[in-house]
Amino acid sequence: MDDIFRGTDDVVKPHLDQWLQSGTGLMAHNGIDVGIKLRPIAQKEFAELGEEFKKTWEGVYANAPDKPVAWTGVINAYAGVDDNDYKAGKRYISGAYYLCYPVSIGHVHIRDGQNPYMPLEFEAGFLDEPADLASLRWSYKHSRELVRRMAHYRGEIPSGHPKFPEGSAAAARGECDGPEPIEAEDIVYTEEDDRAIDDFHRDVVNTTWHSLGTCAMKPREQNGVVDSSLNVYGVQNLKVADMSIAPSNVGANTYNTAIVIGERAALILAGELGIKSV
């Protein structure tokens, strides 16, 4: 995908022409051929996630066997931190991962009810909860082990990895001739290595643009904004019906959920207006 992401106009144009003519080719592709959902199943994995994850496991995952902690996959492009490490003409794959149900929650509030132009009070809340750092740390380690065993693996670009202490066995190895054997030992990380991973995530973590929940449907005493009929608490004749009403993450692209909310909103409005639904 680097031809499209980083190529000059003459390189991109044939791909664009193919897509416009037939809807096929790289322009019709998201660059992701493989991905899996990660969820701890062994005692060793729970130990890696640590005590800071225990409460989250019990509250979010233990009774929901279909919920993954993270998604990880391979992007067929250079998605590194430092663009200076990108070399035109080479082919890259990038390991990527994200949390499906992060527990860190931000907020958006108005500052002045009389002045709509006042800047909002906005806090993203990324990584406020230690459990999210633990989950990302675990996801990084597992993603790395998967990628370095893939047939196309030819090493690591150090700038795309944490800055491990000098002499660390976890340090990125640079280029190599081929993948690790399937039966190779997993990389062993020290506590100092773990801190380097956490610092790396604090520096580079980003949103997947599936943001939601600023008008969450839940009880007012739990900081909810709308009730089960989409009415905004404390305001007359105002309903909200979009992804902002979701009280927690849906762990997926939000399109389908948005459609369901819209359909349900139509039924609620029809009922209140005395319109019979088919």
Side-chain angles (χ1 to χ4, degrees), residues 9-263:
D9 289 347
D10 61 309
V11 173
V12 175
K13 189 176 185 305
H15 296 294
L16 179 59
D17 290 343
Q18 181 181 357
W19 181 72
L20 290 172
Q21 292 168 13
S22 64
T24 63
L26 287 183
M27 282 284 191
H29 195 272
N30 68 359
I32 302 173
D33 284 317
V34 60
I36 64 170
K37 296 176 179 179
L38 291 176
R39 180 182 167 96
I41 57 173
Q43 191 57 43
K44 175 177 177 290
E45 293 173 328
F46 284 105
E48 289 175 353
L49 283 159
E51 285 296 314
E52 54 202 357
F53 180 75
K54 187 175 181 180
K55 181 179 177 182
T56 299
W57 171 260
E58 294 172 348
V60 178
Y61 302 101
N63 295 319
D66 60 329
K67 281 189 172 183
V69 171
W71 176 94
T72 183
V74 172
I75 301 172
N76 297 321
Y78 177 83
V81 176
D82 189 346
D83 276 359
N84 292 323
D85 286 332
Y86 172 76
K87 302 293 187 287
K90 284 196 171 187
R91 291 290 179 259
Y92 294 87
I93 59 173
S94 302
Y97 47 93
Y98 66 82
L99 303 186
C100 295
Y101 299 94
V103 291
S104 298
I105 297 177
H107 66 258
V108 179
H109 296 302
I110 58 173
R111 294 180 184 270
D112 186 343
Q114 304 302 314
N115 180 4
Y117 301 104
M118 181 71 72
L120 295 171
E121 178 190 330
F122 172 65
E123 172 56 55
F126 289 164
L127 306 183
D128 281 355
E129 293 287 342
D132 286 343
L133 275 172
S135 300
L136 284 170
R137 189 188 318 130
W138 182 76
S139 300
Y140 166 79
K141 294 176 182 179
H142 278 264
S143 299
R144 190 179 183 187
E145 293 299 341
L146 290 167
V147 172
R148 72 193 193 104
R149 288 168 170 79
M150 290 182 174
H152 296 297
Y153 176 83
R154 293 297 182 271
E156 300 168 326
I157 297 175
S159 65
H161 290 263
K163 296 177 181 178
F164 293 109
E166 188 173 349
S168 169
R173 61 181 295 184
E175 292 190 28
C176 64
D177 294 330
E180 297 288 336
I182 294 295
E183 67 276 10
E185 293 291 328
D186 288 351
I187 297 169
V188 177
Y189 297 85
T190 66
E191 290 185 9
E192 197 173 1
D193 292 332
D194 284 350
R195 288 193 289 272
I197 296 172
D198 290 349
D199 288 342
F200 175 73
H201 286 135
R202 290 188 183 98
D203 287 342
V204 305
V205 73
N206 211 326
T207 175
T208 50
W209 307 110
H210 299 167
S211 303
L212 47 77
T214 51
C215 296
M217 178 188 286
K218 55 185 178 181
R220 194 171 189 177
E221 57 270 21
Q222 296 178 20
N223 294 321
V225 175
V226 299
D227 62 20
S228 58
S229 295
L230 305 174
N231 299 307
V232 177
Y233 294 121
V235 181
Q236 292 183 335
N237 301 321
L238 178 62
K239 292 180 183 289
V240 177
D242 56 25
M243 284 309 304
S244 65
I245 72 165
S248 61
N249 201 34
V250 298
N253 290 309
T254 53
Y255 177 72
N256 288 345
T257 306
I259 290 176
V260 171
I261 290 172
E263 290 179 346

